[in-house]
Amino acid sequence: MFRSLRTDNPELVRVSVNGHAVEIASGQSVWSALALSGQTTTRKAALSGEDRSAYCAMGVCFECMVEIDGIPNQQACLRRVADGMTIATQTITETSVAK
Amino acid sequence: MSAALTLSEHGRSALVLDRGVAPGGQIFRSVSTSPLPDRTALGPDYAAGAELVSAYTNSRAKHVAGADVWHIGEDGRILYSHEGTTKQVEAREILICPGAIERPMPIRGWTLPGVMTAGAAQVMLKSDAMVAENAVFAGSGPLLYLIVAQYLRLGVKVAGLVDTTPAENYLKAAPLLPAALGGFGLLRKGLALLSEIRRAGVPVYRNATDLAILGDQRAEGLVFTSDGRQEIKADTVFLHHGVLPNPNMTRALGLAHHWNEDQLAWHVTKDAFGQSSLPHVSVAGDGGGIVGADGARHEGTLAAMNVLTRLGHFASDQRDRLAKPRLAQLRRLARFRRFIDRLYQPRPALRLPQDSETVVCRCEEQRLSDLRQGFEEGARDPNALKSRTRCGMGPCQGRQCGPIVSGLLAKWQDLPVQDVGYYRLRSPQKLLSLEEFSQFQTVVPDEGGTK
Ligand SMILES: Cc1cc2nc3c(=O)[nH]c(=O)nc-3n(C[C@H](O)[C@H](O)[C@H](O)COP(=O)(O)OP(=O)(O)OC[C@H]3O[C@@H](n4cnc5c(N)ncnc54)[C@H](O)[C@@H]3O)c2cc1C
Ligand code: FES
C-alpha cells in the first residue's frame, strides 16, 4: 500500500482517475495520483493484455504509460497533475497504436 | 550543474535541458522543493546538495526543467519536448550527462504490478513523499541499503531485506580494500547503514539466490533461498542490484562505446576530459561510466574546462594545470569504486534470466525461450535478434532488455560481450504525438549556443 508522508497543507487539485474523483497535492506526479488512490494499473501489456504498473518511476521503462486528457502514451511518472486532468489506464496497447 | 557553474564562472552561459522537475539530478532530486516533512532523514549528503543547487540557480546557466531531449545530431541539432511542444536548438559544444539507470533484474514475475526498483522507491520518496508500507527490498549494493534506512528513519515499516550479495564477493573484493582506504569514509557509511537496518529489527536474509516474485495478477511477495527456501508476503517488492550508464542518447548519437568488465557495463569511450569520439560532444557523470555523485561533479567541471579551452578561453596547458587536483581526486574515487564494483558485483544468475518463461523484453513480452529460438534460427547479434523477435522494439527502446540481450548472446556463443555489441539505436528516443510535433519552435540560446 502506498501512502503519503506529507504533513504540510499542500494546495490540492482535483483530477479524475478512471472516472473517480481524486484530490491530490498540486505538483505531484500523475503516478502518485494513481498510486495514492489505489489504482495502480497504468497500462495493459502489448501482447497478453496483462496489467502493468509503474516500475522505475524515473522515465526509463515506459511501463507507466497512461492516457492523460485523452492522449495516450503519457509517462505518468514524468507528468505532474493539473487541476481538472483526466487520467485513465491505457487499454490500447502500443502495438495497436502503431497500426 | 558543476559544468554549468564552471562555464558561468568564466563568463559563459550554458543552456541546460533537464527532464527533471527541478534542478538536482538523481541524487539531489527535489532538494530545493522536497515535500518531505523532514528531509534530514535522507542523510547529510542530500541536504548538502541544496548548496550546489543554489549556486547553480544563481549562476548564468539557463535551466529548462521538464525538457525531454529525444534527438541529438552530429551537426549539433538538439530536439526536445517541452510543455507539449517540440523545440529545437543548435549547439556548438554539447555535454551529455544522462546519469544512470538501474540494472535490470529479470527474475520470474518481475513484470507484475507491485514490482518496482529501489531507485523508484527513492524517487517517489524524494519528489512525492510517497512510500510503500511493508515492502520487501531485494538485491545488493549501497543504494538498496540506503533507501531501506531512509524508510526506517521516516517510520515506514519494511517487511524484509533480501541481500543477494554472493558470499564469495567478500573474498574477491578483499585484495582491493587497501587501495580503497582513501574512500574508507564511504565504506563506513555503508556498514553503518546495514547495522542501522538490523537494529531496527528488519529481517535481513543474506547470500540469497533463486529469487522469484509470488503472484499471478500482481505481486504477492518474494520467494528465495537463504538458509533454505523462504517466503515473504508483500504487495510491493523493490529490486536493485546496481546501476548502469543510461545508454540511449550516447548510442543514438553513434558515439564509440566499449564494454567494461569491472562494472559489467557499456561505457562511452572518452578522454580524461570526457571528450567523446565526436570532438564537440563530451560526456560526464554516470552516463559515461559509473563514477558516483562526487565523481560526476569532478567530471562535469573537467568537461567544462575542456570546452572553455576549445572555445579559446584557456590554453591547454592552463587547462591541464587547473585540472590536476580534480584528476587526482577522480583516481582516488576510482580505487574505491573498483572495490565497491567487486563487492557488489551482481550474481550472474540474477543478471541473466534462468527460467525459460522469464520475460526479457518487458515492452514486447519476449521471453527467454523466444530469444533462444531466435538465436537458434540464426540471430547472432542484438540487432539480428531484435528484427527476428521484436525484442527491444518497444517504447523503452531496449533500456531494460539491452544489457540482458548482449549478455545472453555472449554466453550462448562463448564470446566477449564487446564482440557481440549492443542495439543500434535511432532518434526519436521517445514516443512522440503528432499534436506535439505539429507545434515546433526554434530556441536561440544566449551567447553562441554552448549547451
Ligand atoms: C535510482 C538511483 C538512486 C540513487 N541514489 C543515490 C543516493 O542515494 N546516494 C548516492 O550517493 N548516489 C545515488 N545514486 C547515484 C547518483 O545519483 C549518481 O552517481 C549521480 O547522480 C550521478 O550524477 P549525474 O549527473 O551523472 O547523473 P544524474 O544525477 O542522474 O542526472 C542525470 C540527469 O539527466 C536527466 N536526463 C536523463 N535523460 C534525459 C533526457 N533524455 N532529456 C533531458 N534530461 C535527461 C535526468 O533528468 C537527470 O536530471 C543513485 C542513482 C540512481 C539511478
Ligand atoms: S515508471 Fe518507468 S517510465 Fe514511468
Side-chain angles (χ1 to χ4, degrees):
Chain A
M1 272 293 277
F2 290 100
R3 70 179 173 92
S4 171
L5 295 179
R6 289 184 79 149
T7 50
D8 53 345
N9 265 321
E11 188 195 323
L12 298 178
V13 296
R14 263 178 98 87
V15 299
S16 135
V17 180
N18 289 325
H20 304 276
V22 172
E23 291 211 314
I24 175 101
S26 120
Q28 296 230 149
S29 66
V30 168
W31 159 242
S32 73
L34 288 150
L36 292 172
S37 62
Q39 304 181 67
T40 51
T41 303
T42 48
R43 68 176 182 104
K44 300 287 183 178
L47 304 177
S48 63
E50 283 166 4
D51 285 358
R52 288 289 175 86
S53 182
Y55 169 73
C56 74
M58 60 179 103
V60 176
C61 72
F62 290 72
E63 290 289 6
C64 65
M65 289 192 300
V66 293
E67 291 184 21
I68 297 180
D69 296 331
I71 303 175
N73 297 336
Q74 305 296 305
Q75 284 166 280
C77 70
L78 294 182
R79 294 285 305 273
R80 305 281 120 186
V81 290
D83 202 35
M85 192 180 250
T86 311
I87 303 160
T89 295
Q90 182 161 320
T91 49
I92 42 165
T93 65
E94 110 271 353
T95 354
S96 60
V97 172
K99 276 172 196 154
Chain B
M1 286 191 292
S2 302
L5 267 173
T6 306
L7 290 171
S8 173
E9 280 159 16
H10 291 88
R12 300 297 296 215
S13 73
L15 178 69
V16 181
L17 303 174
D18 182 10
R19 184 160 67 194
V21 198
Q26 191 63 255
I27 172 131
F28 304 135
R29 187 180 286 272
S30 307
V31 71
S32 52
T33 54
S34 172
L36 276 176
D38 178 15
R39 67 175 194 205
T40 56
L42 298 182
D45 293 350
Y46 183 64
E51 226 169 277
L52 176 66
V53 171
S54 101
Y56 168 75
T57 319
N58 293 321
S59 77
R60 302 166 71 111
K62 182 170 185 277
H63 185 89
V64 188
D68 199 352
V69 178
W70 51 263
H71 170 81
I72 302 180
E74 261 185 57
D75 53 0
R77 197 162 77 115
I78 298 168
L79 294 170
Y80 62 99
S81 304
H82 185 233
E83 292 169 347
T85 60
T86 292
K87 294 184 180 168
Q88 167 174 300
V89 63
E90 305 223 1
R92 260 199 284 165
E93 293 288 326
I94 301 173
L95 175 61
I96 307 182
C97 314
I101 60 176
E102 286 175 281
R103 184 188 286 283
M105 199 196 285
I107 58 175
R108 200 147 30 101
W110 73 307
T111 51
L112 290 171
V115 180
M116 297 184 84
T117 67
Q122 208 183 47
V123 171
M124 294 188 289
L125 179 64
K126 286 180 181 173
S127 359
D128 286 334
M130 183 165 84
V131 295
E133 201 70 60
N134 272 315
V136 180
F137 287 81
S140 165
L143 299 185
L144 184 73
Y145 313 137
L146 178 65
I147 177 68
V148 173
Q150 289 170 337
Y151 259 41
L152 296 172
R153 290 174 203 157
L154 290 161
V156 185
K157 286 199 202 70
V158 172
L161 171 60
V162 179
D163 192 333
T164 59
T165 312
E168 63 269 21
N169 279 17
Y170 293 91
L171 274 178
K172 287 193 190 144
L176 296 174
L177 188 55
L181 280 183
F184 192 67
L186 285 162
L187 181 62
R188 220 175 23 215
K189 256 196 269 180
L191 293 175
L193 286 176
L194 270 176
S195 67
E196 183 180 342
I197 294 167
R198 283 221 184 72
R199 272 200 316 275
V202 174
V204 178
Y205 302 84
R206 304 196 55 184
N207 199 20
T209 56
D210 298 324
L211 278 66
I213 305 293
L214 288 168
D216 288 329
Q217 310 287 313
R218 35 183 324 111
E220 289 165 16
L222 183 75
V223 297
F224 55 96
T225 303
S226 164
D227 251 340
R229 204 70 181 147
Q230 313 274 354
E231 197 177 293
I232 309 178
K233 296 267 188 228
D235 62 9
T236 312
V237 181
F238 291 114
L239 304 175
H240 176 90
H241 59 171
V243 297
L244 300 170
N246 187 352
N248 287 47
M249 246 191 278
T250 55
R251 284 279 178 186
L253 184 50
L255 302 185
H257 289 69
H258 60 271
W259 178 254
N260 179 296
E261 193 58 38
D262 284 340
Q263 297 198 341
L264 299 172
W266 291 102
H267 283 191
V268 176
T269 308
K270 54 188 173 67
D271 70 11
F273 291 94
Q275 194 170 315
S276 75
S277 50
L278 289 177
H280 61 291
V281 178
S282 306
V283 179
D286 281 355
I290 304 303
V291 290
D294 294 338
R297 288 174 71 169
H298 292 306
E299 286 198 353
T301 306
L302 289 167
M305 287 176 181
N306 188 45
V307 167
L308 285 164
T309 308
R310 289 174 48 82
L311 294 174
H313 276 255
F314 291 161
S316 54
D317 55 341
Q318 196 182 354
R319 175 199 68 186
D320 293 349
R321 206 173 51 245
L322 286 169
K324 226 171 169 176
R326 303 231 168 227
L327 290 168
Q329 291 272 5
L330 272 174
R331 277 194 298 275
R332 191 181 62 86
L333 288 169
R335 284 197 294 275
F336 177 68
R337 176 73 37 195
R338 263 195 297 281
F339 169 73
I340 290 286
D341 289 341
R342 193 69 63 87
L343 181 57
Y344 296 117
Q345 185 161 94
R347 231 173 240 292
L350 289 175
R351 211 156 59 78
L352 299 178
Q354 302 300 307
D355 182 309
S356 64
E357 285 311 297
T358 298
V359 171
V360 175
C361 170
R362 300 176 63 106
C363 299
E364 297 293 331
E365 294 181 88
Q366 295 299 310
R367 295 166 194 275
L368 177 60
S369 52
D370 301 316
L371 299 191
R372 182 70 209 189
Q373 192 187 335
F375 172 73
E376 272 156 20
E377 287 166 10
R380 288 293 176 266
D381 68 79
N383 296 306
L385 196 60
K386 181 176 178 177
S387 40
R388 205 168 273 273
T389 62
R390 294 192 62 80
C391 182
M393 270 191 203
C396 96
Q397 301 190 320
R399 285 171 177 87
Q400 297 294 318
C401 63
I404 308 172
V405 163
S406 293
L408 284 173
L409 286 167
K411 184 172 113 179
W412 291 336
Q413 300 173 86
D414 199 16
L415 282 174
V417 181
Q418 176 77 39
D419 295 356
V420 166
Y422 191 78
Y423 293 135
R424 208 165 34 244
L425 298 180
R426 284 189 211 95
S427 307
Q429 291 150 43
K430 62 171 250 179
L431 292 174
L432 286 170
S433 69
L434 269 182
E435 288 90 331
E436 182 197 314
F437 204 58
S438 63
Q439 302 175 21
F440 190 89
Q441 284 175 26
T442 300
V443 180
V444 182
D446 322 336
E447 261 196 33
T450 312
K451 189 198 158 208

